[in-house]
Amino acid sequence: SVNPLVFIVLLHTEEQGRKFIGCDDYLGSDKVIDKCGICGGDNTACKVVSGVFKHTLTNLGYHKIVEIPEGATKINITEMSKSNNYLALRSRSGRSIINGNWAIDRPGRYEGGGTMFTYKRPNEISSTAGESFLADGPTNEVLDVYMIHQQPNPGIHYEYIIPGDNVISPQLLAHRRPGEPLNGQLGMPESTNQEDEDLHRETDTLTGQSAGTFPVIQPGRFSSHQPENQVPAVQPPRQNREHNWKQTGKTECTTTCGKGSQYPVFHCVNRITHEEVSESYCDSSTKPIPEEEACNLFPCPAFWDIGEWSECSKTCGLGMQHRQILCRQMYANRTLTVQQYRCHHLEKPETTSTCQLKICSEWQIRTEWTSCSVPCGVGQRTRDVKCVSNLGDIVDDEECNMKLRPNDIENCDMGPCAKSWFLTEWSDRCSAECGDGVRTRSVVCMTNHVSSLPLEGCGNNRPSETTPCNNGPCAGKVEWFAGAWTQCSTECGSGTQQREVICVRKTEGNFDVLNPYECSYLEKPPSQQSCYLKPCGSKWFHTEWSTCSKSCEGGFRVREVRCLSDDMIASTQCDPQLKPEEKEPCNTQDCIPEIDENCKDKYYNCNVVVQARLCVYTYYKTACCASCTRVANRQSGFLGRR
């Protein structure tokens, strides 16, 4: 039986080992492996190797990009943008790991060089990213990265980490033989005491396994120098070892085909009865470490490996897309391309398919050009342009090629605009209360187009802005005389205006200026006042009357009338009842030809001259004056009546 004290110490040690074993295998250690695989390292011994392969390639096929050395970690090989090229990976011995022998593997995880590589190929339609290889490492052999070149190289970024100089590789610790020098230093000596040899021999006898099937004690697992706070394990005496470890079976195979793995299962048994007991009866340090064993070595059934669909052959409308279909078979954790007859038991997927990313659309001109926006000068005209799908629906403009969009607006020149003087009506009030004064009106030069601004250039015949007026004779008396107010300081709204105020004695036809004190007994009119001509609104303007359409028997004349705001643009705010007339009759008298006593016919047959239309000649016009004049008056009267 086991000493209770020793049993408690062993349990305490085992519990500590489960909780606080670091990467250096010391109980209670908190050391972890850094980026370059160094136990307890601080990443300072790591050397990052990175770069971009940008060489221009000409020949199709495999081209070597970069070499990944033994011991590399954090491996990242990434295509900088999507292309029709492929990345490939193989070992220095020539064994293909990914995309070898012109066969393109599906994205997934592939074992090679002692580590697991993740092969990524983003979606060929929705992504613009390139494909990549990623692995944590470390590698246990040199690996070569290739590119299967089919189109211009977009650039391949590579990066990996290797230990710096004078750094012990973690692979070397895992694979060195007992007693082999390590960087010139001899490792810990193997345990060769007689007790271990006897125990090894006893275990072989119980399990029926030959020596060397699994190690009994891992050489150098624990350092001879133990931490001060750790309770040392006490080995039980030999005579109390009544139990030992025995293989009682194996775990289930990890795969049903294609080479999986399984491990032996060990239990603590009584050496005499072989009855299974609690593991606490056996020495945990002598428990064999299960080693991986291959299982289910036969190949898996072949299957169709379906690649990603290619991009649609057309950006709109009905197109085609393709994908690669390979017959594949899995063996030894690798997927291999095999002859297609092995997949004849399966229905082969389609390799081509129709596709339509979106409906094709085109520009259509739906209306003719509108009239020019101005009757004269330069304006604009428009038409309706729509993006229409091949189903006849109006869709957003973005669905059509904006570079091919027809113009829907353009300039139009209607020729120069005519210019005219526009006038307001005369003011109702005379500037003088008695005697001579003036009435005023506004005059402006404008084109006959409503949206034009005031222009110069209507000629020198500017209509007068003032007209005389007289409110009757002035009586002879002394009084203040106020001159005309100046123009308001603003055209509309509130402003100020001034006038001159003098003391005068008015007489018939003139006035005498007196000293201001002569009028001091009279209330002096103000010489300054606020003014408010009008709200900033609109008023009527009109042109001069046109020439009468007839010289007699009633014609008419016209003028153009406009409602203009203060900034001289067309307005609708004028009072319609105050609108000046635009048309009036003129020359209403009868057409009476003047009789000339000296105008007589000298020949009796002047009617022949008239019929022959000879009145245009001076001789005949004088000789047959009466007949030619009568015909001329008849023709002018006819024309005047039209």
Side-chain angles (χ1 to χ4, degrees):
S1 63
V2 179
N3 187 310
L5 177 60
V6 174
F7 181 70
I8 293 174
V9 171
L10 286 174
L11 287 180
H12 178 69
T13 304
E14 183 179 0
E15 181 69 16
Q16 282 189 324
R18 283 199 298 268
K19 291 184 178 180
F20 305 107
I21 295 181
C23 62
D24 56 354
D25 292 335
Y26 278 88
L27 295 176
S29 171
D30 60 352
K31 290 184 179 181
V32 295
I33 297 176
D34 68 356
K35 289 183 178 179
C36 49
I38 306 303
C39 182
D42 59 356
N43 298 320
T44 57
C46 300
K47 179 180 180 182
V48 179
V49 179
S50 65
V52 178
F53 180 84
K54 289 187 175 180
H55 295 294
T56 301
L57 305 174
T58 57
N59 297 331
L60 298 177
Y62 286 80
H63 293 266
K64 183 176 177 180
I65 296 175
V66 67
E67 174 185 296
I68 302 175
E70 181 180 357
T73 60
K74 305 299 179 184
I75 302 165
N76 185 342
I77 312 295
T78 301
E79 193 177 30
M80 298 180 71
S81 65
K82 183 172 68 175
S83 71
N84 288 331
N85 303 326
Y86 294 93
L87 297 175
L89 184 68
R90 69 181 181 185
S91 66
R92 183 55 58 86
S93 63
R95 183 177 70 89
S96 175
I97 300 173
I98 301 176
N99 292 345
N101 300 321
W102 292 98
I104 305 304
D105 295 311
R106 298 191 68 182
R109 292 172 58 82
Y110 296 85
E111 189 278 329
T115 185
M116 190 66 68
F117 282 84
T118 300
Y119 175 36
K120 295 182 178 181
R121 185 190 306 137
N123 187 281
E124 295 184 2
I125 296 178
S126 62
S127 174
T128 59
E131 54 183 45
S132 62
F133 294 156
L134 303 174
D136 289 331
T139 56
N140 59 9
E141 63 177 325
V142 178
L143 302 176
D144 292 326
V145 179
Y146 288 81
M147 181 175 69
I148 306 176
H149 175 247
Q150 299 187 98
Q151 72 172 66
N153 173 26
I156 308 297
H157 174 265
Y158 59 88
E159 181 176 303
Y160 56 85
I161 298 175
I162 56 175
D165 297 333
N166 300 322
V167 175
I168 300 174
S169 170
Q171 301 173 81
L172 193 58
L173 290 172
H175 297 92
R176 70 185 182 92
R177 292 183 298 275
E180 182 180 358
L182 178 63
N183 284 358
Q185 302 294 327
L186 190 63
M188 291 296 297
E190 301 293 335
S191 174
T192 57
N193 57 61
Q194 185 63 38
E195 180 179 310
D196 289 339
E197 291 178 357
D198 293 342
L199 180 61
H200 194 176
R201 195 179 303 109
E202 292 170 359
T203 304
D204 292 343
T205 303
L206 289 172
T207 60
Q209 301 290 329
S210 62
T213 301
F214 49 83
V216 176
I217 300 177
Q218 183 178 357
R221 177 171 176 81
F222 295 103
S223 171
S224 59
H225 175 71
Q226 304 221 3
E228 296 178 357
N229 61 348
Q230 180 175 329
V231 179
V234 179
Q235 296 290 340
R238 283 195 59 194
Q239 59 272 22
N240 292 331
R241 293 190 178 181
E242 299 177 358
H243 302 83
N244 207 344
W245 298 102
K246 178 182 179 181
Q247 180 178 345
T248 58
K250 296 182 180 180
T251 62
E252 290 188 8
C253 192
T254 55
T255 62
T256 58
C257 61
K259 187 181 179 181
S261 59
Q262 59 184 181
Y263 297 86
V265 177
F266 297 98
H267 285 104
C268 183
V269 299
N270 185 286
R271 296 179 63 182
I272 305 300
T273 64
H274 293 184
E275 179 184 359
E276 291 187 12
V277 296
S278 172
E279 291 189 357
S280 60
Y281 287 94
C282 291
D283 185 355
S284 60
S285 64
T286 63
K287 183 176 182 179
I289 298 177
E291 291 188 351
E292 180 181 359
E293 299 178 9
C295 55
N296 293 341
L297 301 181
F298 52 91
C300 292
F303 64 95
W304 290 113
D305 191 1
I306 304 173
E308 300 286 346
W309 285 111
S310 66
E311 293 184 359
C312 196
S313 61
K314 294 185 179 180
T315 57
C316 70
L318 196 63
M320 296 294 295
Q321 57 184 171
H322 308 272
R323 63 182 176 183
Q324 188 179 32
I325 305 296
L326 298 175
C327 183
R328 309 273 274 172
Q329 201 164 11
M330 181 174 290
Y331 179 74
N333 293 328
R334 293 197 63 228
T335 303
L336 306 176
T337 302
V338 296
Q339 296 294 328
Q340 292 196 3
Y341 73 85
R342 298 193 182 184
C343 294
H344 282 174
H345 64 288
L346 301 172
E347 182 180 357
K348 186 175 182 179
E350 295 293 336
T351 58
T352 60
S353 174
T354 58
C355 55
Q356 181 170 305
L357 298 180
K358 61 180 181 179
I359 296 175
C360 288
S361 304
E362 63 178 2
W363 295 108
Q364 287 187 7
I365 299 173
R366 309 302 288 265
T367 63
E368 297 294 333
W369 287 110
T370 61
S371 300
C372 197
S373 60
V374 295
C376 62
V378 178
Q380 289 183 327
R381 62 179 187 171
T382 60
R383 63 182 177 182
D384 194 16
V385 176
K386 297 295 185 183
C387 180
V388 181
S389 72
N390 56 359
L391 301 179
D393 300 325
I394 296 177
V395 295
D396 293 337
D397 284 1
E398 290 73 14
E399 296 294 324
C400 290
N401 188 344
M402 296 300 292
K403 294 181 179 179
L404 302 179
R405 190 180 195 274
N407 289 335
D408 60 354
I409 185 171
E410 69 176 12
N411 293 337
C412 48
D413 190 349
M414 301 300 290
C417 294
K419 301 172 184 178
S420 304
W421 291 109
F422 281 72
L423 317 167
T424 63
E425 296 290 348
W426 291 109
S427 61
D428 296 330
R429 185 175 180 179
C430 189
S431 62
E433 295 181 359
C434 62
D436 294 329
V438 293
R439 289 193 298 161
T440 61
R441 65 180 176 181
S442 298
V443 179
V444 62
C445 174
M446 294 188 66
T447 67
N448 57 7
H449 173 44
V450 295
S451 65
S452 298
L453 296 176
L455 301 173
E456 298 298 332
C458 289
N460 297 324
N461 58 339
R462 179 185 179 92
S464 175
E465 293 180 286
T466 62
T467 187
C469 58
N470 192 314
N471 286 334
C474 297
K477 62 179 180 178
V478 175
E479 63 178 284
W480 291 106
F481 176 80
W485 288 106
T486 61
Q487 289 186 348
C488 194
S489 60
T490 59
E491 293 185 0
C492 63
S494 299
T496 59
Q497 57 185 170
Q498 291 79 30
R499 66 181 176 180
E500 188 175 3
V501 179
I502 59 176
C503 183
V504 298
R505 179 182 287 115
K506 292 185 179 180
T507 59
E508 187 66 26
N510 59 3
F511 60 86
D512 298 324
V513 179
L514 304 178
N515 288 328
Y517 74 86
E518 296 287 338
C519 297
S520 59
Y521 67 96
L522 299 171
E523 182 180 359
K524 184 178 181 179
S527 60
Q528 179 175 325
Q529 69 176 7
S530 60
C531 55
Y532 188 88
L533 295 180
K534 58 182 177 180
C536 294
S538 307
K539 58 184 176 182
W540 292 106
F541 283 75
H542 61 77
T543 63
E544 295 282 10
W545 285 110
S546 67
T547 304
C548 193
S549 62
K550 295 174 64 177
S551 59
C552 59
E553 292 188 351
F556 63 90
R557 59 179 183 174
V558 295
R559 62 181 176 182
E560 189 173 358
V561 179
R562 299 259 181 91
C563 177
L564 302 178
S565 63
D566 291 328
D567 51 0
M568 297 304 163
I569 62 174
S571 173
T572 59
Q573 302 302 316
C574 297
D575 187 351
Q577 295 182 353
L578 300 179
K579 181 178 181 181
E581 293 295 331
E582 296 178 282
K583 182 178 180 180
E584 68 178 12
C586 56
N587 294 341
T588 58
Q589 73 277 4
D590 293 335
C591 296
I592 301 175
E594 297 181 359
I595 300 175
D596 187 357
E597 295 294 337
N598 297 321
C599 183
K600 297 181 180 180
D601 289 342
K602 296 180 180 181
Y603 300 102
Y604 69 91
N605 59 344
C606 280
N607 60 326
V608 177
V609 173
V610 173
Q611 293 174 359
R613 299 182 179 179
L614 298 176
C615 290
V616 296
Y617 298 101
T618 304
Y619 171 78
Y620 292 108
K621 187 175 183 181
T622 303
C624 298
C625 181
S627 297
C628 287
T629 301
R630 189 165 49 252
V631 172
N633 289 337
R634 190 162 54 246
Q635 290 177 346
S636 63
F638 175 75
L639 292 174
R641 293 183 179 89
R642 286 193 298 178

